[in-house]
Amino acid sequence: MRNGTAKLLTLFHPASGAVRVQGVTSCRNPVLHGWLKAELCAILAARPAPPEPVSVAANRACWERWQEGLSQPITLSAALPPLRLLLVMDNLTGHKTPSFVCWLFDHGIMPLYTPLGGSWLNMTESVQRILKRRGLAGQHPTTPDAIIAALEAAAQGWNAAPTPFVWGGRRSDRRHRRRQRQHALGGSGACTRRPLPRPRPTVLQQWRSAGQVTH
């Protein structure tokens, strides 16, 4: 029986593995933006103050370098503070609300949106799956409050010994070594694990390649 929906607002720091969560029953923009602003302010308060930029042009270049190659770059504010934080989010309309984006700029936060259909690039999706399995596997909650309590408890246990996330890692190294052990076939996408034997040149072909053929 469906008695309601539980959602998990999540902020994830891949370098440390720390996660900030809050369970809610509604994820409208006022709820999401209010929670994000409070958590981001707490994160910035715990970080050291940024050094003053050398010049306005150098500071703006620091912001613009994160938009290189984007087909639809964000219009930056005219006056920008020092860049302090990068915030990766899904490409949703609510994340692009002008008032929210301007608030991010005013606090030195650069929003970066994953491509459409590329939510797997957002590591928060990965840690949410882990928390869901840890909190709900083998359980049978009957209310949204029970689901929220289980997910928040799983996040608290995760933060007791967080695991940093990095791109690549040992799995990437194994895939790279595996590709090195494969041999492409005629420039196609197919490969073999053993190189195909090549016909040995005849004595006449060897002479021709060496320019020693006489008539």
Side-chain angles (χ1 to χ4, degrees):
M1 182 180 296
R2 187 181 182 91
N3 295 323
T5 301
K7 301 179 182 293
L8 192 68
L9 306 181
T10 310
L11 271 176
F12 180 56
H13 186 227
S16 65
V19 64
R20 294 168 178 255
V21 303
Q22 180 176 338
V24 295
T25 56
S26 174
C27 192
R28 297 179 179 272
N29 285 343
V31 176
L32 174 62
H33 294 172
W35 179 77
L36 281 175
K37 290 178 181 179
E39 294 296 330
L40 292 172
C41 286
I43 293 173
L44 292 175
R47 294 178 58 84
E52 291 296 328
V54 178
S55 64
V56 176
N59 181 54
R60 193 169 191 85
C62 183
W63 285 77
E64 291 177 346
R65 66 183 293 265
W66 290 101
Q67 298 201 35
E68 294 179 359
L70 297 182
S71 58
Q72 296 180 347
I74 304 174
T75 302
L76 299 174
S77 302
L80 293 169
L83 182 60
R84 303 188 62 189
L85 197 68
L86 299 176
L87 179 62
V88 180
M89 296 185 291
D90 292 340
N91 205 327
L92 302 178
T93 303
H95 293 163
K96 300 179 180 179
T97 304
S99 58
F100 177 65
V101 174
C102 290
W103 184 92
L104 294 176
F105 289 159
D106 294 339
H107 288 76
I109 303 173
M110 177 68 186
L112 299 174
Y113 302 103
T114 57
L116 292 175
S119 60
W120 59 273
L121 294 172
N122 191 339
M123 294 187 185
T124 303
E125 302 282 347
S126 302
V127 76
Q128 283 178 338
R129 285 193 291 270
I130 295 173
L131 297 179
K132 183 180 69 173
R133 288 196 298 265
R134 290 189 176 187
L136 301 180
Q139 305 297 319
H140 185 63
T142 56
T143 63
D145 292 338
I147 297 175
I148 290 173
L151 294 176
E152 290 182 346
Q156 185 177 2
W158 169 272
N159 284 330
T163 300
F165 281 24
V166 295
W167 286 112
R170 295 182 179 179
R171 180 178 296 180
S172 177
D173 293 339
R174 290 196 299 269
R175 290 176 178 173
H176 179 67
R177 291 194 298 269
R178 182 179 179 181
R179 285 192 296 268
Q180 288 181 330
R181 292 193 296 267
Q182 294 176 343
H183 303 272
L185 295 176
S188 68
C191 5
T192 62
R193 294 188 177 182
R194 294 182 179 180
L196 294 179
R198 298 182 179 181
R200 299 181 62 181
T202 63
V203 176
L204 179 60
Q205 290 174 336
Q206 292 179 356
W207 284 353
R208 285 177 177 176
S209 63
Q212 298 178 359
V213 177
T214 59
H215 296 280

